[in-house]
Amino acid sequence: MTDVKFIIRTADQTRKAEVEMQRSSIGADIVQAAVDNWALPSDTDYALVNVTTGRSLVPTEMLDENFVQAGDVLEVQPVLVAGHA
Amino acid sequence: MRWEDQSETVTLPAAAVFLKTLEPADEQRLSGLENELPRVVVTSDCLRSMREHLDTSCDELGGLLLGRAYRHAGPAETHVIVAECSVASRVFDSTGVSLRMETEVWDRARPLLDAGALVVGWYHSHPNLGAFFSETDRTTQRSFFRNPFSVGIVIDPVREEMRAFVGPESAIVPEENLVVVACG
């Protein structure tokens, strides 16, 4: 299986990394890598969006060529919560 | 997997440039502050759009704040954070005491980030509960708005209260440092 090199960033665009992963990796692997490398909360829900194409990747979907091409920019978007409960 | 971090420290312009664009009264009010704490500036258009959004429900609502941040030189350097516009969360789950904003709000914010504009923070309402940061709010601020110039604004539309909290530790912004300016 070939690798693909892309850019990943946080939704507020203050963190960015160049990542090379196997195309057999899935969306959840990318989110987990962002959580690990940027010390993001692990108890939060995230969406993964290819902002170059506008497509979202579900956690179980592989990084095939339909979703990401070399050089594309992917964004890890957190669900935001507020409240007192 | 290979991961090469390319995050860069955000370089902020000097606040003097921004202050000169304000109406004289607003410029004097901001320049006259003697403390060295962050200044949070909300444009009147931004405040209006937040209020129009938050007034639509007795449950909590919220969204993102877009704008700019500046370095404010003084005895201790601080920041001037300018909230220029708000992006309301449209896909959410909320009650009178809780709010979950789904990720579509980030997609709608992205096209509005022109050169120099940032996601400077977030806002939400506490209807008739008072304008304060709960522990959940602090955790969200610490996790996703952790720049020293990241601001969280809480508005109680019933009690007509507004408070701002800045940075990863959610430091409260003194009332005199939270300024609504006339510019759009």
Side-chain angles (χ1 to χ4, degrees):
Chain A
M1 186 65 85
T2 58
D3 288 355
V4 59
K5 190 187 293 186
F6 55 89
I7 300 294
I8 188 165
R9 72 185 186 198
T10 52
D12 68 356
Q13 303 183 25
T14 60
R15 292 173 182 230
K16 186 171 76 169
E18 185 180 73
V19 181
E20 192 168 358
M21 294 182 91
Q22 291 188 340
R23 284 207 176 272
S24 59
S25 303
I26 58 174
D29 295 331
I30 301 175
V31 170
Q32 188 60 53
V35 166
D36 293 342
N37 282 279
W38 288 327
L40 301 176
S42 58
D43 58 352
T44 295
D45 292 330
Y46 298 91
L48 185 64
V49 176
N50 183 335
V51 299
T52 305
T53 64
R55 282 198 58 212
S56 297
L57 187 72
V58 299
T60 55
E61 197 174 356
M62 284 200 305
L63 297 181
D64 64 29
E65 293 177 356
N66 290 326
F67 177 71
V68 62
Q69 300 287 329
D72 282 357
V73 178
L74 276 55
E75 198 168 273
V76 178
Q77 302 173 337
V79 168
L80 300 175
V81 295
H84 327 300
Chain B
M1 182 191 72
R2 188 180 62 79
W3 179 284
E4 182 182 333
D5 200 280
Q6 297 182 339
S7 303
E8 298 172 0
T9 304
V10 179
T11 303
L12 302 177
V17 178
F18 164 71
L19 294 174
K20 285 178 182 164
T21 67
L22 297 175
E23 296 288 329
D26 291 330
E27 193 274 338
Q28 286 174 13
R29 187 174 170 195
L30 277 165
S31 299
L33 291 171
E34 294 183 353
N35 65 59
E36 296 301 325
L37 299 169
R39 286 88 163 110
V40 175
V41 177
V42 181
T43 67
S44 52
D45 280 359
C46 182
L47 179 60
R48 187 180 311 113
S49 70
M50 279 194 288
R51 286 302 309 264
E52 286 176 356
H53 174 216
L54 301 180
D55 283 345
T56 61
S57 176
C58 295
D59 288 337
E60 291 196 10
L61 297 173
L64 296 173
L65 293 171
L66 312 187
R68 294 163 207 277
Y70 300 89
R71 287 179 292 108
H72 183 69
E77 188 169 290
T78 185
H79 296 99
V80 176
I81 305 146
V82 185
E84 297 176 339
C85 73
S86 62
V87 181
S89 170
R90 291 180 185 159
V91 182
F92 59 90
D93 185 22
S94 74
T95 69
V97 295
S98 68
L99 172 63
R100 173 189 166 97
M101 296 185 273
E102 299 296 336
T103 58
E104 58 80 38
V105 70
W106 295 104
D107 287 327
R108 286 188 296 105
R110 190 184 320 113
L112 303 176
L113 296 173
D114 58 6
L118 305 164
V119 177
V120 292
W122 63 307
Y123 72 97
H124 70 288
S125 61
H126 281 180
N128 206 21
L129 293 168
F132 65 95
F133 246 23
S134 70
E135 196 51 46
T136 302
D137 303 338
R138 289 178 183 278
T139 299
T140 293
Q141 177 86 9
R142 187 182 310 115
S143 301
F144 304 114
F145 301 96
R146 48 189 173 184
N147 288 305
F149 51 83
S150 297
V151 62
I153 290 179
V154 181
I155 293 176
D156 182 335
V158 178
R159 300 184 191 177
E160 299 283 341
E161 295 176 6
M162 178 166 74
R163 291 276 185 278
F165 302 83
V166 167
E169 299 309 315
S170 301
I172 190 165
V173 174
E175 195 171 338
E176 64 269 25
N177 286 35
L178 178 55
V179 178
V180 178
V181 298
C183 67

